[in-house]
Amino acid sequence: MDLTVAAEVIAAPKPETLPRLSAALADALHHTGLAELTNCAQSPFQTHGESPGNASSAVTIGEVAALRPLMPASGIWQGRATMAGVEVPVVALSSARSKPAALLVLLRTEDTPVPQEELAPVLAMWDLLTAHRVGLQTDAIPPGRLATSRAAAAARAMAISELGEAHATALTTLLQTLRDRDLDDTDARTRGIDLAVTALSELRSRAELDQVLVEERGSDAFERLTDSLRRILRPRGVQLDLGIPGAEEGADRMLPGDVVNTVSAAVRAVVYASLEDQGGSDRQVSRIHVGWKVDNADVRATVRDDGPGALSRRSFDTRRVIERLAALGGRLEVDAVPGWGTTVTVEVPLTPPETPREDPLAELGPRELEVLEQLAHGRRNRDIAQQLHISESTVKFHLAKIFDKLGVSSRGEAAALAHHWGAA
């Protein structure tokens, strides 16, 4: 498959990804529609194209999730499946580049199986797109927005939990009523029980899926981190030693996604600093040890190198490691011994700080944050308008609102706040 086409799909804005992917796959695999189920917290489920047959409804997340147990190790499954309430031929692709594996389902009109060799480049395209998305997700969220993101995630989880409990109670009551032997209409009772059981199963499936999207098993997070570290160290000839976590180190615990992503990003930044920020010495880093442990309160990762021991906390300022950790109440410690190496410890609490930082930028809307970011880079109103494709009068309107919300009276003060809170 043409790599230029793959690059266009990968570079597409999120809303355009599926349409471009569908167009890119049209020649290799004819389909009328497709659906994806990924571990993206913002939009895990998306569809594009026509509903199968004469179905008036759309493909559901439960229908796609039901294909997970059918996926073989090869990542390709063909057969008939229920989509939008209609049984149709489908091709399902599973990419192991993410955990859980990202699913892509293509709806077809023909039952004739597609040869595996023709599906191999299609799966490769899906792997590329999934790997790109995983790379974006592993980057830490800017500190100015991380606290807001975490609060929103916690509220969302609570709302879903409460909704799930309410639905479960209602459906359980319905089951008890329908199982009442005093009811005369046996057929109605049987059908009602069947519908209620199906609804309960769907509800539990959605609850499990939501848990997967906002949490990750400790062992999976560590494995994902070590895979990325090997790609960094192998070309440089640096040996990677691992303190693989066992059950007592919390390997089997489910951890908040924002915590593991922030810890992982911090560890990678520390590794880069060990390799690149210890110049001026004949002693080079030849070995790096990475450990990972989870207790009741936090996640702790250690990075120890055998380099010249020239790292300090200032080494991480340009990489914004300490700033990002502080947004979650985390901390970083550096223990450097000249001539013997450096040990860096990263700790992030599993729960948000009881008194989170009062981020003044949290009051700003998405467009206001974009304008402030442009302002913080020293751009004038005309340049901001061109960058954001809005008028200068609109820029002035946004700036007036920004100054009012931040309690500042000049562009310099607003820019200083933006730099301090990580919006620039």
Side-chain angles (χ1 to χ4, degrees), residues 77-90:
W77 181 86
Q78 302 184 65
R80 296 185 68 85
T82 300
M83 294 288 148
V86 179
E87 188 176 280
V88 294
V90 302

Side-chain angles (χ1 to χ4, degrees), residues 372 375-376 402-403 406 408 410-419:
L372 178 61
L375 170 67
I402 291 170
F403 289 178
L406 297 183
V408 299
S410 70
R411 300 170 72 93
E413 289 180 87
L417 278 177
H419 284 291

Side-chain angles (χ1 to χ4, degrees), residues 30 50 90 110 158 163 251 273 295-296 310 328 339 354 371 406 418:
H30 178 69
E50 302 175 0
V90 302
E110 302 177 358
M158 181 177 295
L163 182 61
D295 58 26
N296 293 331
L328 289 183
E354 293 183 2
V371 172
L406 297 183

Side-chain angles (χ1 to χ4, degrees), residues 141-149 320 323-324 327 357 359-363 369 418 420-423:
I141 302 172
R145 304 174 195 175
L146 189 52
T148 302
S149 173
R320 299 174 63 191
E323 191 177 359
R324 285 167 170 160
R357 301 195 308 166
D359 181 359
L361 307 188
E363 297 294 323
L369 285 170
H420 179 75
W421 290 94

Side-chain angles (χ1 to χ4, degrees), residues 339-352:
W340 289 91
T342 305
T343 299
V344 179
T345 303
V346 175
E347 289 189 4
V348 176
L350 291 171
T351 56

Side-chain angles (χ1 to χ4, degrees), residues 35 48 64 162 203 224 270 309 311 317 335 357 364 383:
H48 171 72
V64 175
E162 293 174 351
L203 179 64
R224 181 163 55 85
V270 171
L311 287 180
D317 288 344
D335 183 13
R357 301 195 308 166
L364 304 183
D383 299 325

